[in-house]
Amino acid sequence: MAKKTEEVGGIYFPFPFTPYSIQKDFMAELYQVLEAGKIGIFESPTGTGKSLSLICGALSWLRDFEQKKRQEEARLLETEAAPINDGKDQPLFLSSSCPETPDSRSPAGEPDWITQFVQKKEERGLVDRLKKEHTRRKEREERLQRIRHNAQLKYAAKRERQEEDETERLLRLSREVLAAGTGAEPLEQLASGEEELVLSEYESDEEKGTGNGLDEDEDDLEEEHITKIYYCSRTHSQLAQFVHEVQKSPFGKDIRLVSLGSRQNLCVNEDVKNLGTVQLINDRCMEMQRSQHEIKSRAQDQEDKEPKRRRRKPQAACPFYSYKQLQLLRDEVLVEVKDIEQLVTLGKEAGACPYYGSRFAIPAAQLVVLPYQMVLHAATRQAAGIRLQGQVVIIDEAHNLIDTITSIHSTEVSGSQLCQAHSQLSQYMERYRKRLKAKNLMYIKQILYLLEKFVTVLGGNIKQNPSMQSLSRTGTELRTINDFLFQSQIDNINLFKVQRYCEKSMVSRKLFGFTERYGAVLAPRTGQPRLAGFQHFLQSLQPGLTEVLAAPVEDGEARAPRPASPLMRVEGFLAALTTANQDGRVILSRQGTLSQSSLKFLLLNPAVPFAQVVKECRAVVIAGGTMQPVSDFREQLLACAGVEAARVVEFSCGHVIPPDNILPLVMCSGPSSQQLEFTYLKRELPQMMEETGRILCNLCNMVPGGMVCFFPSYEYLRQVHAHWDKTGLLARLAIKKKIFQEPKRASQVEQVLMDYSRCIKCCGQLRGTVTGALLLSVVGGKMSEGINFSDNLGRCVVVVGMPYPNIKSPELQEKVAYLDHTLPRSPGQPPPGKALVENLCMKAVNQSIGRAIRHQKDFASIVLLDQRYARPPILAKLPAWIRDRVEVKATFGPAFAAIRKFHHEKSGLP
């Protein structure tokens, strides 16, 4: 348990050690935000123990919340007559997890006995719900306690799986014996298994939603959702690190934590996992699930139908999806804190699916850890079984939250994909035309019409090979959604109904099964070699080839890895077109040939999807090491989502390092008095590149260990590197520091970092001429976020110029225009669009310079090479712990002297 328990304002916070004062402040403020149901923006620099503060602050609140709720439940169950009134006196902690009771105020003129009867009925209903909750909670706690303290039960899932495997083996042998000797009888004109590809009758647009895929005897896998905390972060590695912090915390032994991930991360069925792409894995998993729940009904059907006709062979069900195994896995997940890798290992041992096992554990979990895409996207939330009503959401590493929401809800479809989808769907319709009901044919024809019009608006012809079609007009156009619909001549089609049809009929999945079954969708005339897959798909669209179905691919044939169905991408684009006209734009990109051209939907208002999150949740916390400038979060996200300013709380703490452990400098000119202003027009001048090299040479002579220099872009880094090599500056730099360069491929980053680290360590031991290493990197690149340049790995961080985004980008121009039109302009402030461009630049800079200081005893200098950093509006956008200590140096001499003095003192040199 806790080594320390800190009391702050009457609240007890268990902590593994004595916390910093800023951690106490952080936890106390976080507790109050959760208690009051507010929206918090929390900034705590890297190295200040933000993760532990989040864990201990949030879980202390949850501990107290649950205790109050249990006490209130006990009081109600004892009296069995809790006053309901009009809900005003009902405690907040009950109303957040229990359904709200109906208004019991009697309408004017109703007799008292009717009012009393209704009130008593409501009271009994509330007590009955509490009794059921209490009973289920007690059963769950007893079950988990037994597993926790009984080694035999802990491995029950694994043992059960072994017994089931043996039973399944015997059943399979029995089936083979029974099947021997029966002749293959074709079902009309369809091959065995092909019936699954035919769309079921589509009843109506208002049909009821499908169930959750569970049989009746599996209902108890779903429990009522208790009040919980959803913790989200950007990557699986960050989530794993957070889970390990929880394991080490005072709450690690008792908390019920569930780690969620995608099927790609959690699937243990090798046949499915080997499909590769996320979409294919998802689709195959869903197909196998449906087969699992159809097996029972098919068995019954076989008894009822005529015995002479042979039934089609069902799609194989997933062996890792079974009620008993999932029930055992769910409980084992809740007993002990596990990260994703540990969850997968447990699933393999138990023979149960970790993806569904973790999902079924959500209702009873107290802390759910997941990538924030799963929370921010409504369809993904629903698919994962995440319910936000009355819950707490903490979004960590949230500096890119707005960009992430925009990216998740933006989509692009290429001309090649449009043509592929049209060709595949046309053949599907021809193949099964006589079996498809009228409504299916109507919607398929509408989708084909949409595809044809999308290709036409790009300037192409749906019947020709997209790679061979050169477009007469090239360039980029932006359209509002309504203008695009009119231009495409599809404004008379109800896209909401088409979207609903695609979702309910699962036409894209049927189409993918169809194309997968036949390998190559199209084949040339007899006598020519049969095409072997999608890699030759476009070839088959060339004029002169007869479009006939290829033979089905045999089971033993090798298949090339297949991309997801192009119709799935089209469905995403159609769904985007149902966005409100003012909140999005359509970008028509015409690039030489039709296959290279594309239609892209750009979400302009990220507040729309985020509004649902803040509306449903009890409280939302947006946290990060560098959240400045926070105006973006307040204006673009929260205010536009309808959040009142009074509900938003900002908290920013300083750093734990002493003030003299950091030296931030703005350098306005170089050694030869060249003014430093790296605008697009000036930065490629030879004298600017040479001045940058001379500054770095001077810094390399006095800074020990490692230096990291960030450039505005990969292209500019390439130009500067080539110029230095040509002028001999690169050789001068290499005298003192071995030079490393950020690779463009993500797979090479780890190796470069290892070599960089090893070089610095060796130089420190040898104490020769080379004193360390210089890493040339890019702002916003792979090394500007999440990389630890602590201690000797980053004694000096240099940022060359101001990395403004490309203002000529059509997407950015449209976003700027949208903000200027939508947001009010504050007196004395720049227009919202201009502020956005500055904020994007400074967010990227803040992320880069935050790489240097990683713990209390660390030290580093930060050098900003551009006189524009000295402007007060720009300085104001730096993190407070850096801004308060920054020094502006107009000339190189005083700047160099300050840096030399700083490093001599910190390194103990004379």
Side-chain angles (χ1 to χ4, degrees):
M1 196 54 192
K3 294 179 181 177
K4 300 282 183 183
T5 302
E6 294 294 325
E7 183 184 356
V8 183
I11 303 164
Y12 292 93
F13 295 102
F15 215 78
F17 49 81
T18 303
Y20 303 128
S21 61
I22 59 173
Q23 288 179 308
K24 293 180 187 179
D25 296 341
F26 187 109
M27 291 188 291
E29 191 69 25
L30 177 62
Y31 190 103
Q32 294 305 324
V33 165
L34 302 188
E35 183 67 16
K38 300 207 171 198
I39 310 294
I41 302 175
F42 282 71
E43 182 180 53
S44 181
T46 305
T48 56
K50 171 169 57 75
S51 295
L52 265 179
S53 300
L54 283 170
I55 292 165
C56 296
L59 294 183
S60 294
W61 171 82
L62 186 62
R63 170 204 64 201
D64 294 347
F65 177 88
E66 290 177 343
Q67 186 178 353
K68 290 175 190 174
K69 187 180 175 188
R70 281 194 294 269
Q71 289 170 352
E72 184 66 17
E73 284 179 2
R75 185 183 68 78
L76 288 170
L77 292 171
E78 283 174 12
T79 60
E80 293 202 4
I84 300 300
N85 298 326
D86 62 355
K88 289 179 181 177
D89 297 329
Q90 187 176 347
L92 177 64
F93 43 87
L94 274 184
S95 62
S96 68
S97 59
C98 298
E100 291 184 7
T101 57
D103 195 341
S104 58
R105 290 173 292 183
S106 60
E110 274 197 356
D112 290 342
W113 68 269
I114 292 179
T115 305
Q116 291 172 5
F117 173 79
V118 172
Q119 185 171 328
K120 288 290 183 185
K121 186 178 179 182
E122 291 168 347
E123 290 171 357
R124 285 195 298 273
L126 175 60
V127 171
D128 287 344
R129 283 198 303 274
L130 291 176
K131 281 182 176 178
K132 287 178 182 176
E133 270 190 49
H134 181 74
T135 302
R136 296 200 76 159
R137 185 171 65 242
K138 191 174 179 182
E139 288 175 355
R140 181 181 65 239
E141 288 172 355
E142 289 175 356
R143 190 174 68 240
L144 297 181
Q145 200 67 15
R146 285 197 303 272
I147 295 173
R148 192 175 279 118
H149 297 294
N150 190 324
Q152 287 186 331
L153 283 175
K154 249 189 167 181
Y155 299 100
K158 189 175 180 180
R159 193 166 58 252
E160 284 264 359
R161 177 64 187 166
Q162 291 169 346
E163 292 171 3
E164 280 192 4
D165 284 346
E166 181 62 21
T167 305
E168 178 61 30
R169 190 180 68 82
L170 295 173
L171 283 172
R172 190 168 61 250
L173 289 172
S174 301
R175 289 193 202 102
E176 288 171 1
V177 171
L178 289 171
T182 58
E185 194 174 319
L187 177 62
E188 296 179 8
Q189 295 183 1
L190 295 185
S192 172
E194 196 174 358
E195 203 171 279
E196 292 178 359
L197 304 177
V198 182
L199 287 162
S200 304
E201 183 175 0
Y202 185 66
E203 294 177 3
S204 70
D205 294 329
E206 289 75 30
E207 67 179 316
K208 293 180 181 178
T210 55
N212 60 5
L214 293 176
D215 292 335
E216 289 180 9
D217 62 346
E218 297 178 24
D219 284 344
D220 62 342
L221 279 173
E222 290 280 6
E223 298 184 26
E224 185 165 352
H225 285 240
I226 66 166
T227 300
K228 60 176 61 38
I229 295 167
Y230 287 98
Y231 172 87
C232 328
S233 194
R234 199 166 55 89
T235 65
H236 282 290
S237 61
Q238 289 168 342
L239 292 172
Q241 189 177 347
F242 179 82
V243 171
H244 296 154
E245 291 284 346
V246 174
Q247 289 171 331
K248 294 185 289 184
S249 79
F251 297 91
K253 298 292 183 186
D254 303 313
I255 193 74
R256 296 192 300 277
L257 179 148
V258 175
S259 295
L260 297 184
S262 64
R263 286 182 175 90
Q264 190 176 35
N265 292 110
L266 290 172
C267 181
V268 291
N269 185 328
E270 292 300 327
D271 293 337
V272 176
K273 196 166 186 177
N274 288 339
L275 290 172
T277 66
V278 177
Q279 192 67 61
L280 296 188
I281 291 172
N282 288 345
D283 291 341
R284 180 57 58 83
C285 176
M286 297 288 285
E287 285 173 17
M288 296 179 91
Q289 253 200 89
R290 285 196 298 275
S291 300
Q292 178 90 9
H293 302 297
E294 287 171 4
I295 287 173
K296 290 183 181 179
S297 58
R298 283 183 186 144
Q300 184 63 41
D301 287 347
Q302 280 183 318
E303 296 176 10
D304 299 337
K305 302 285 181 182
E306 57 264 37
K308 290 183 180 179
R309 186 155 75 179
R310 186 180 178 186
R311 303 291 296 169
R312 61 191 173 93
K313 184 180 176 182
Q315 171 82 27
C318 182
F320 296 94
Y321 187 91
S322 69
Y323 164 65
K324 285 184 179 179
Q325 302 305 122
L326 288 174
Q327 188 181 41
L328 291 165
L329 181 63
R330 174 199 65 187
D331 291 344
E332 288 188 25
V333 166
L334 292 170
V335 163
E336 195 175 72
V337 174
K338 297 175 183 66
D339 64 17
I340 290 286
E341 290 182 4
Q342 293 166 331
L343 186 57
V344 169
T345 301
L346 180 64
K348 287 178 179 177
E349 291 176 352
C353 176
Y355 177 77
Y356 283 102
S358 58
R359 272 182 55 179
F360 294 136
I362 293 173
Q366 296 165 303
L367 179 58
V368 179
V369 178
L370 69 170
Y372 54 48
Q373 288 87 337
M374 294 183 76
V375 166
L376 299 173
H377 193 261
T380 308
R381 277 202 306 274
Q382 186 179 2
I386 295 166
R387 299 179 193 172
L388 297 182
Q389 192 67 46
Q391 309 292 14
V392 171
V393 168
I394 297 175
I395 304 174
D396 200 2
E397 301 297 334
H399 54 276
N400 284 334
L401 179 59
I402 294 174
D403 292 339
T404 301
I405 296 173
T406 302
S407 175
I408 290 172
H409 294 88
S410 298
T411 183
E412 186 172 14
V413 61
S414 68
S416 175
Q417 289 167 333
L418 291 170
C419 289
Q420 287 180 11
H422 188 277
S423 178
Q424 293 172 10
L425 194 57
S426 298
Q427 290 175 84
Y428 178 89
M429 185 177 71
E430 288 304 315
R431 171 68 172 167
Y432 303 121
R433 180 184 288 274
K434 293 181 180 179
R435 291 176 170 266
L436 295 173
K437 302 293 181 182
K439 262 193 177 170
N440 278 318
L441 284 171
M442 179 190 77
Y443 278 112
I444 287 176
K445 286 178 180 178
Q446 282 192 353
I447 296 170
L448 289 171
Y449 176 79
L450 290 170
L451 292 168
E452 183 177 349
K453 290 301 180 182
F454 288 158
V455 170
T456 302
V457 82
L458 283 173
N461 187 328
I462 196 73
K463 295 180 180 179
Q464 296 177 11
N465 183 348
S467 293
M468 305 296 289
Q469 292 188 59
S470 297
L471 303 183
S472 58
R473 189 167 47 139
T474 58
T476 301
E477 287 181 43
L478 277 100
R479 294 281 182 268
T480 64
I481 297 172
N482 287 347
D483 286 347
F484 173 74
L485 298 180
F486 281 113
Q487 185 179 352
S488 304
Q489 300 177 355
I490 59 172
D491 51 296
N492 59 330
I493 291 182
N494 188 328
L495 293 180
F496 290 92
K497 285 190 173 184
V498 175
Q499 180 198 359
R500 183 171 176 80
Y501 171 76
C502 291
E503 179 186 335
K504 295 295 179 184
S505 69
M506 296 181 288
V507 60
S508 60
R509 293 195 177 103
K510 298 282 187 183
L511 184 60
F512 179 75
F514 171 74
T515 57
E516 186 184 46
R517 176 179 180 80
Y518 287 100
V521 184
L522 305 175
R525 295 179 180 179
T526 309
Q528 295 186 26
R530 184 169 66 81
L531 302 184
F534 279 109
Q535 65 270 34
H536 297 306
F537 178 81
L538 296 180
Q539 180 187 339
S540 66
L541 287 175
Q542 291 179 23
L545 297 182
T546 304
E547 298 186 358
V548 293
L549 284 168
V553 174
E554 298 298 327
D555 291 340
E557 281 190 56
R559 293 175 184 264
R562 303 196 187 286
S565 166
L567 187 59
M568 293 174 190
R569 299 298 296 269
V570 175
E571 284 181 8
F573 183 69
L574 290 175
L577 291 180
T578 61
T579 305
N581 183 56
Q582 69 273 16
D583 292 331
R585 295 290 182 270
V586 178
I587 302 172
L588 292 80
S589 176
R590 300 182 179 96
Q591 305 290 331
T593 64
L594 178 60
S595 62
Q596 296 171 325
S597 303
S598 66
L599 298 173
K600 181 177 181 180
F601 174 79
L602 174 67
L603 180 71
L604 293 177
N605 188 3
V608 173
F610 195 66
Q612 191 177 356
V613 175
V614 295
K615 182 181 177 183
E616 293 183 9
C617 289
R618 173 197 178 95
V620 176
V621 174
I622 303 170
T626 307
M627 298 297 287
Q628 292 293 333
V630 297
S631 57
D632 283 357
F633 297 104
R634 276 189 169 273
E635 295 166 9
Q636 290 185 48
L637 209 54
L638 301 178
C640 291
V643 178
E644 296 178 0
R647 196 186 171 197
V648 182
V649 175
E650 282 185 36
F651 175 87
S652 180
C653 62
H655 214 295
V656 293
I657 59 166
D660 59 353
N661 273 26
I662 181 173
L663 177 65
L665 281 178
V666 175
M667 198 178 287
C668 300
S669 63
S672 63
S673 300
Q674 172 71 48
Q675 289 297 303
L676 301 177
E677 190 170 358
F678 292 84
T679 61
Y680 285 114
L681 294 174
K682 296 180 181 177
R683 69 184 190 184
E684 293 180 12
L685 295 173
Q687 58 265 36
M688 290 296 289
M689 292 191 276
E690 288 164 17
E691 193 77 335
T692 305
R694 284 191 285 268
I695 292 170
L696 287 181
C697 282
N698 280 282
L699 292 177
C700 286
N701 285 335
M702 65 173 153
V703 175
M707 280 178 56
V708 185
C709 182
F710 288 100
F711 288 83
S713 67
Y714 286 102
E715 176 58 24
Y716 187 58
L717 169 57
R718 186 194 63 76
Q719 289 179 6
V720 171
H721 191 275
H723 186 77
W724 287 351
D725 191 26
K726 183 179 175 182
T727 58
L729 274 167
L730 203 62
R732 283 176 58 191
L733 286 168
I735 295 172
K736 284 290 185 180
K737 304 285 185 189
K738 184 172 181 181
I739 298 171
F740 294 85
Q741 201 168 337
E742 178 178 324
K744 280 197 173 182
R745 299 172 103 182
S747 57
Q748 298 173 337
V749 169
E750 191 173 344
Q751 185 60 49
V752 171
L753 286 172
M754 284 175 59
D755 294 343
Y756 172 75
S757 176
R758 195 180 299 116
C759 173
I760 292 169
K761 188 176 180 181
C762 291
C763 291
Q765 292 171 346
L766 295 172
R767 297 187 180 278
T769 308
V770 179
T771 60
L774 170 63
L775 177 60
L776 305 178
S777 192
V778 175
V779 175
K782 302 165 193 68
M783 295 182 177
S784 63
E785 290 186 32
I787 304 296
N788 185 347
F789 290 116
S790 64
D791 301 322
N792 275 340
L793 294 182
R795 289 303 182 201
C796 180
V797 174
V798 180
V799 180
V800 177
M802 297 188 70
Y804 282 106
N806 181 10
I807 195 62
K808 293 182 180 179
S809 157
E811 291 95 333
L812 184 58
Q813 287 180 345
E814 196 65 24
K815 181 79 173 179
V816 167
Y818 172 81
L819 292 178
D820 285 341
H821 177 73
T822 308
L823 297 182
R825 181 173 178 178
S826 304
Q829 297 295 319
K834 184 179 179 183
L836 167 73
V837 175
E838 277 189 0
N839 290 349
L840 288 172
C841 169
M842 292 309 296
K843 277 182 185 293
V845 169
N846 291 342
Q847 281 300 307
S848 299
I849 62 181
R851 302 300 95 209
I853 303 293
R854 312 302 286 185
H855 59 82
Q856 189 178 18
K857 296 181 180 179
D858 206 353
F859 67 89
S861 55
I862 296 170
V863 183
L864 304 174
L865 298 184
D866 199 307
Q867 61 184 7
R868 291 175 292 174
Y869 283 111
R871 297 172 186 170
I874 300 296
L875 284 174
K877 296 180 190 294
L878 289 169
W881 63 280
I882 293 177
R883 181 176 66 239
D884 295 342
R885 305 167 193 181
V886 73
E887 299 178 20
V888 177
K889 302 293 184 182
T891 56
F892 180 75
F896 183 78
I899 296 170
R900 181 172 55 191
K901 180 183 177 185
F902 173 82
H903 283 287
H904 278 205
E905 288 177 355
K906 292 300 167 188
S907 303
L909 297 174

